[in-house]
Amino acid sequence: MRKILSTHPLHPRATAMLAGAGRLAIASALDARTLTAEARDADIVIVRAPLPPDLFDGAKDLRAAIRHGAGLDMIPVEAATAAGVLVANVPAVNARSVAEHVMFTALALSRRFRVMDRDLRAKGWLAGREHANSTSELAGKTIGIVGLGAVGQAVGHIAAHGFDLNVVATTRSLRPAPERVGFLSIDALVEQSDIIVLCCPLTEETRGLISRERIGRMKPHALLINVSRGPVVDDEALIEALRKSRIGGAALDVFSTQPLPPNHPYFGFDNVIATPHLAGITEESMMRMGVGAANEALLVLANKLPVNLRNPEVIEHYRRRFPAGG
Ligand SMILES: NC(=O)c1ccc[n+]([C@@H]2O[C@H](COP(=O)([O-])OP(=O)(O)OC[C@H]3O[C@@H](n4cnc5c(N)ncnc54)[C@H](O)[C@@H]3O)[C@@H](O)[C@H]2O)c1
Ligand SMILES: O=C(O)[C@H](O)COP(=O)(O)O
């Protein structure tokens, strides 16, 4: 019987789709050793936790590693390709959830929601109201989007049409600019934006993109929102900037170390919102990601290629391993 290993439980609709195709096993733990052992006899692995590169060495039946979501950084794509394993993801289907989270944190930071709510509960009405004078509207401000893909475009659309923000973005290839979006270089974007949203993938190019130097160029009231991946930001520099009130605040959904340790310096700031990598997770997006991943798995098990194949260079090697495959 075919084994589909998922690092996490899937949405019930996805589980139901896979029921006839094989045995769905949920990983018993997420450490490298357990995942490697449990992938050894798997045909498919559905991924929401980082896979170790050597997982592929002993997984002789493994046909595909399928990301439940957009970011490919949890799959060592080179190692998978070398082993003849297909890599796929489910792009765009959580973009709306992430964009709504971005706008929610932009509003929460601008309106000082955390301290108002906290002080109302702890110190009473007047203490809660005290923060209101230093809050601001979003309308008319500039939001700078780094990574104008599915998430970035959804953020830009809501920001421009829903909140009357001016939208600027970096781009590497997208032309012409979407409606109401202006293109800037990354340096101009960090200098000119009141709100900076990071929604690029983690790559060698984006690792450390928000460097000490770029944090130093931000406006003193700038808000930094990171829904990309933790290592895109220089944590030490950001913590220092927050300590010195060099920027207005930050909303961080992703971190260089996940889970974020309970005593992390980010928890010490009133003007930081920290969430545990959940911007893309809602009832709706979990259903779409799960169904998308299950669809890709069913295609592969039916000897077809996944729709969102991310390592097409693997095909020849893959077909040598599974002569009927694809
Ligand atoms: N926090 C969450 O829950 C969550 C959910 C979804 C996605 N994400 C993260 O957001 C990323 C983007 O998701 P998406 O669905 O928009 O993907 P996408 O592939 O549609 O868009 C990524 C965009 O980033 C651009 N890009 C790549 N390198 C860049 C660079 N150096 N500078 C500027 N732009 C660059 C690409 O050209 C593309 O337009 C994912 O890779 C993932 O890391 C996080
Ligand atoms: O890359 C993504 O799409 C997000 O991080 C969500 O992925 P998840 O399925 O791991 O929550």
Side-chain angles (χ1 to χ4, degrees), residues 121-194:
R121 287 165 198 258
K123 301 182 198 159
W125 188 265
L126 289 177
R129 274 177 68 93
E130 227 168 63
H131 303 289
N133 292 343
S134 54
T135 65
S136 56
E137 294 180 347
L138 296 185
K141 308 289 189 308
T142 296
I143 188 167
I145 299 173
V146 180
L148 202 58
V151 171
Q153 290 181 45
V155 170
H157 182 84
I158 302 174
H161 296 273
F163 290 94
D164 289 326
L165 280 150
N166 305 312
V167 182
V168 294
T170 57
T171 187
R172 294 183 314 159
S173 51
L174 197 65
R175 297 270 181 239
E179 195 197 346
R180 293 180 67 172
V181 176
F183 286 143
L184 288 180
S185 71
I186 178 75
D187 288 322
L189 181 146
V190 297
E191 279 171 13
Q192 293 177 29
S193 300
D194 303 293

Side-chain angles (χ1 to χ4, degrees), residues 296-318:
E296 296 289 49
L298 291 176
L299 282 173
V300 174
L301 293 174
N303 286 323
K304 296 184 179 135
L305 291 174
V307 177
N308 297 299
L309 180 65
R310 296 300 171 210
N311 60 342
E313 66 277 23
V314 79
I315 290 176
E316 214 176 294
H317 187 11
Y318 173 71

Side-chain angles (χ1 to χ4, degrees), residues 48 67-71 74 94 229 277 281 289:
R48 292 186 66 193
R67 261 292 285 144
H68 179 283
M74 289 178 191
N94 58 12
R229 290 293 186 253
H277 195 155
I281 301 178
M289 288 191 280

Side-chain angles (χ1 to χ4, degrees), residues 70-73 91-92 94-95 98 146-152 170-173 199-203 205-206 209 227-229 253-254 277-281:
L72 279 177
D73 52 294
N94 58 12
V98 182
V146 180
L148 202 58
V151 171
T170 57
T171 187
R172 294 183 314 159
S173 51
C199 42
C200 52
L202 175 63
T203 62
E205 204 186 324
T206 62
L209 186 73
V227 289
S228 156
R229 290 293 186 253
D253 184 52
V254 285
H277 195 155
L278 48 60
I281 301 178

